[in-house]
Amino acid sequence: MKQIYQERRTYLHYDAGRFMLYLNEGREEYIPSVATPGQEPENLPVSAPVMGYSYEGEEEDGGTLIEATAANYEAFVNGLIRKRYTQSEVEAIQSNMIVSMTDPDAERSAEFRQEWEAYQDYRETCKNNAKAILNL
């Protein structure tokens, strides 16, 4: 889901084993709403558009919830990778790549290399996201 905020967000400690990361940051113009409980949408005061920060993630607030116990680069990269790949899947990809390297003429060698490249591309995206969030 996509959400827009007036102030920049990076991450927050969600609970003992998880962090909420705010990824895919963009700048967008939006009109902030100042609703009070029970106020109907058509009765909201209209204000001028302002520049805000947009985030897209799987959570309702635009965040992405990851497994992590610390707010550091390694934990965030690992948590993001685990959103797509389990440890056993990573081990299988690595093993398949070894097969591809040791026997390039193997029947599924090309498939194993494509799988490896997709994993590496995603891994780089995770690293870049962690660096951006932590201002590294």
Side-chain angles (χ1 to χ4, degrees):
M1 299 188 76
K2 181 179 180 178
Q3 288 294 333
I4 303 172
Y5 298 93
Q6 195 164 359
E7 308 208 349
R8 186 172 190 261
R9 292 188 169 206
T10 53
Y11 65 88
L12 63 89
H13 192 217
Y14 192 79
D15 61 25
R18 297 181 295 176
F19 278 79
M20 183 76 73
L21 306 184
Y22 294 91
L23 307 172
N24 309 309
E25 183 180 278
R27 293 292 302 214
E28 244 178 85
E29 197 173 79
Y30 79 110
I31 299 174
S33 64
V34 197
T36 57
Q39 191 174 25
E40 295 299 319
E42 61 271 4
N43 296 329
L44 289 176
V46 177
S47 64
V50 297
M51 285 303 288
Y53 296 88
S54 65
Y55 301 94
E56 285 191 58
E58 63 198 26
E59 300 297 323
E60 210 171 289
D61 72 345
T64 300
L65 197 58
I66 64 164
E67 299 286 327
T69 56
N72 62 47
Y73 176 77
E74 292 80 14
F76 284 1
V77 171
N78 187 59
L80 287 167
I81 289 172
R82 292 294 166 255
K83 295 293 290 178
R84 183 175 295 177
Y85 296 98
T86 65
Q87 182 62 42
S88 60
E89 288 172 327
V90 171
E91 290 170 5
I93 290 168
Q94 291 169 335
S95 295
N96 290 343
M97 187 57 185
I98 291 170
V99 168
S100 178
M101 290 171 48
T102 57
D103 186 7
D105 297 325
E107 182 179 327
R108 296 180 60 200
S109 185
E111 176 188 337
F112 293 158
R113 287 182 186 273
Q114 288 175 340
E115 181 181 61
W116 176 257
E117 288 302 318
Y119 169 67
Q120 291 302 321
D121 289 345
Y122 182 69
R123 197 168 147 255
E124 279 304 311
T125 298
C126 294
K127 289 177 173 184
N128 290 334
N129 282 332
K131 286 177 186 174
I133 287 170
L134 296 168
N135 291 319
L136 299 177

